[in-house]
Amino acid sequence: EPEVTQTPSHQVTQMGQEVILRCVPISNHLYFYWYRQILGQKVEFLVSFYNNEISEKSEIFDDQFSVERPDGSNFTLKIRSTKLEDSAMYFCASLTGEVSGMNTEAFFGQGTRLTVV
Amino acid sequence: AQKITQTQPGMFVQEKEAVTLDCTYDTSDPSYGLFWYKQPSSGEMIFLIYQGSYDQQNATEGRYSLNFQKARKSANLVISASQLGDSAMYFCAMREGRSTGFQKLVFGTGTRLLVSP
């Protein structure tokens, strides 16, 4: 069964450092998302990406965050200068191109646990 | 205003019993989808069941069923014949129609289910 793959599974970084979280979405999917979940809290939307550009972003997704799809397969989330409050689980998700179908659940990766120290 | 409300922070159930996890939602969009995800302690997000706003019948997937009451804006998850492996965090989520963007998911705060022997 196709799956979304995220690497690394766990990353520890020092405050102020740049970090890149990587995701390989399902190959024929066209819509990509990043969500984050601070420990013990709900999952929050960060950004959606379609046709090589951001289609929507939340208030959390400030200038410290960026996304790109550098090679047509990987989908990355970069945090330029990490803060302690960026510590969270980050989930990548992808969705098929059948946007008209509301029952297309987002396929989630297993998550990257980011710890900023 | 909260889009998705899960009022039960924790629920306990004995093995083999049925349990209902509550979810209410708020939207003015006539087209929406409701999802339930399971998050075990390992952290991944596992899709369980989907209900579309226009679906005439309640969704069922194995031991999972969704008690969809559109007028009350509720979409409760029913797990029948609970198993020890059902112990996890459960999130209700909603995806609104395309009028609000590329169908991001909005999550509730979750309910932690503990199944006892």
Side-chain angles (χ1 to χ4, degrees), chain A residues 3-10 22-24 37 89-93 107-113, chain B residues 39 42-46:
Chain A
E3 60 180 16
V4 177
T5 306
Q6 288 186 243
T7 54
S9 56
H10 190 186
R22 292 183 166 79
C23 169
V24 179
Q37 183 184 30
M89 180 79 103
Y90 289 81
F91 291 102
C92 173
F107 289 83
F108 281 80
Q110 79 278 22
T112 293
R113 188 173 298 282
Chain B
Q39 187 179 42
S42 51
E44 71 266 34
M45 296 291 285
I46 303 168

Side-chain angles (χ1 to χ4, degrees), chain A residues 31 33 35 37 56 99 104, chain B residues 39 43 95 102-105:
Chain A
Y31 299 88
Y33 305 82
Y35 294 84
Q37 183 184 30
E56 186 177 358
V99 180
T104 50
Chain B
Q39 187 179 42
R95 173 176 291 144
F102 286 85
Q103 303 186 2
K104 67 178 183 289
L105 286 169

Side-chain angles (χ1 to χ4, degrees), chain A residues 84-99:
Chain A
L84 294 176
E85 54 264 39
D86 293 328
S87 295
M89 180 79 103
Y90 289 81
F91 291 102
C92 173
S94 70
L95 188 65
T96 72
E98 299 169 15
V99 180

Side-chain angles (χ1 to χ4, degrees), chain A residues 10-52:
Chain A
H10 190 186
Q11 176 140 10
V12 181
T13 188
Q14 283 201 324
M15 191 169 56
Q17 294 296 305
E18 175 183 284
V19 65
I20 297 176
L21 310 183
R22 292 183 166 79
C23 169
V24 179
I26 295 172
S27 61
N28 63 340
H29 284 191
L30 300 178
Y31 299 88
F32 313 112
Y33 305 82
W34 283 101
Y35 294 84
R36 89 170 179 192
Q37 183 184 30
I38 294 172
L39 186 64
Q41 299 187 21
K42 66 179 178 181
V43 179
E44 300 173 292
F45 167 75
L46 288 178
V47 64
S48 57
F49 192 85
Y50 168 72
N51 201 23
N52 286 321

Side-chain angles (χ1 to χ4, degrees), chain B residues 17-34:
Chain B
E17 297 291 312
V19 63
T20 298
L21 307 184
D22 294 342
C23 173
T24 57
Y25 60 92
D26 182 29
T27 181
S28 56
D29 198 317
S31 177
Y32 54 90
L34 296 156

Side-chain angles (χ1 to χ4, degrees), chain A residues 102-103, chain B residues 4 25 27 29-36 49-55 66 68 75 92-97 104-106:
Chain A
M102 289 293 285
N103 63 339
Chain B
I4 295 285
Y25 60 92
T27 181
D29 198 317
S31 177
Y32 54 90
L34 296 156
F35 302 76
W36 278 91
I49 197 167
Y50 163 86
Q51 180 83 45
S53 59
Y54 295 118
D55 291 347
L66 205 150
F68 181 47
C92 179
M94 177 173 65
R95 173 176 291 144
E96 292 173 303
K104 67 178 183 289
L105 286 169
V106 177

